[in-house]
Amino acid sequence: NAGVTQTPKFQVLKTGQSMTLQCAQDMNHEYMSWYRQDPGMGLRLIHYSVGAGITDQGEVPNGYNVSRSTTEDFPLRLLSAAPSQTSVYFCASSFGQESSYEQYFGPGTRLTVT
Amino acid sequence: SQQGEEDPQALSIQEGENATMNCSYKTSINNLQWYRQNSGRGLVHLILIRSNEREKHSGRLRVTLDTSKKSSSLLITASRAADTASYFCATPREGGSYIPTFGRGTSLIVHP
């Protein structure tokens, strides 16, 4: 199993550009989520999904869109990039059951917006 | 908003010493998790403790949970240079969810 994969690893955008960060998992997990990590701020939840076709907002959703058309994929779209979105983005997945709370994280995408 | 907060923010010790980091949280929880993050990598799950447990061990890791004080501690015994990383506690989001919230983390440096 590849686990959770994210592409690209690094990306530089100009202000106003749009892009999609890809996330995929091959563990048949129902729950998937996107976090951003900034120095001194820890991980903040952007959006999450509890299954195909179901998404919800986290703590910092503004400027981001998500969709979940399959169990495996959960892309994050930046609509119009801003310098405040410079961050490291992590995708995570889990079974979403009381028998297993463990989150599996991808390697991250480091995004710089100039 | 963040439910759990780690303390201290940074910890520097010598190889062979024990490292203790703490997590305090605000509302009642049914589980608490600890994760490790090596520099530039994704988080890796270390251990989960449920609200009906007081202590749990995994190798050189010992986790305690005090629900009356709303706090948890992670002890790493006989630290190694390879334990250098950031450590995060994760608690269920307010309102209940399988998507946890994470604290800001404790940065541990173990000097060889």
Side-chain angles (χ1 to χ4, degrees):
Chain A
N1 289 351
V4 179
T5 58
Q6 291 183 238
T7 56
K9 282 188 167 49
F10 301 93
Q11 183 71 48
V12 178
L13 290 178
K14 294 187 188 305
T15 297
Q17 288 184 318
S18 62
M19 80 158 295
T20 299
L21 279 63
Q22 301 291 345
C23 174
Q25 53 90 12
D26 61 359
M27 297 172 282
N28 203 30
H29 286 167
E30 286 297 321
Y31 282 55
M32 296 186 74
S33 52
W34 278 101
Y35 294 87
R36 59 177 289 174
Q37 184 176 34
D38 302 293
M41 297 295 292
L43 277 81
R44 292 183 291 171
L45 183 66
I46 304 171
H47 284 285
Y48 66 97
S49 168
V50 301
I54 308 169
T55 63
D56 205 348
Q57 296 181 350
E59 301 157 349
V60 289
N62 292 343
Y64 307 95
N65 268 359
V66 292
S67 60
R68 183 100 178 269
S69 56
T70 67
T71 299
E72 294 78 21
D73 301 297
F74 190 44
L76 178 72
R77 280 182 287 277
L78 278 69
L79 309 173
S80 177
S84 61
Q85 293 178 305
T86 293
S87 187
V88 182
Y89 291 84
F90 289 100
C91 179
S93 71
S94 67
F95 282 110
Q97 301 169 358
E98 286 203 11
S99 59
S100 179
Y101 289 101
E102 179 180 348
Q103 302 289 307
Y104 293 77
F105 281 82
T109 294
R110 186 173 296 272
L111 175 68
T112 302
V113 183
T114 61
Chain B
S1 61
Q2 287 166 320
Q3 159 84 293
E5 290 296 337
E6 296 87 348
D7 173 69
Q9 289 186 3
L11 185 57
S12 180
I13 60 174
Q14 295 296 128
E15 218 170 24
E17 294 180 340
N18 295 342
T20 299
M21 50 208 89
N22 304 295
C23 172
S24 58
Y25 56 91
K26 298 172 189 170
T27 61
S28 295
I29 58 174
N30 60 0
N31 75 89
L32 185 144
Q33 303 176 67
W34 284 92
Y35 288 78
R36 183 187 73 229
Q37 183 182 34
N38 290 95
S39 181
R41 303 281 189 93
L43 278 71
V44 174
H45 183 263
L46 292 176
I47 195 166
L48 176 146
I49 188 165
R50 295 179 186 269
S51 58
N52 60 353
E53 298 173 310
R54 289 292 172 263
E55 187 171 310
K56 203 163 180 180
H57 296 257
S58 177
R60 293 184 296 112
L61 305 180
R62 172 179 163 245
V63 169
T64 62
L65 180 64
D66 187 334
T67 53
S68 66
K69 294 181 180 177
K70 293 187 170 59
S71 68
S72 174
S73 68
L74 171 67
L75 168 68
I76 305 174
T77 60
S79 296
R80 305 166 182 167
D83 294 327
T84 294
S86 291
Y87 293 82
F88 296 86
C89 69
T91 51
R93 300 177 71 217
E94 291 181 24
S97 169
Y98 293 107
I99 306 286
T101 62
F102 291 82
R104 291 184 170 86
T106 292
S107 175
L108 172 66
I109 297 176
V110 182
H111 299 280

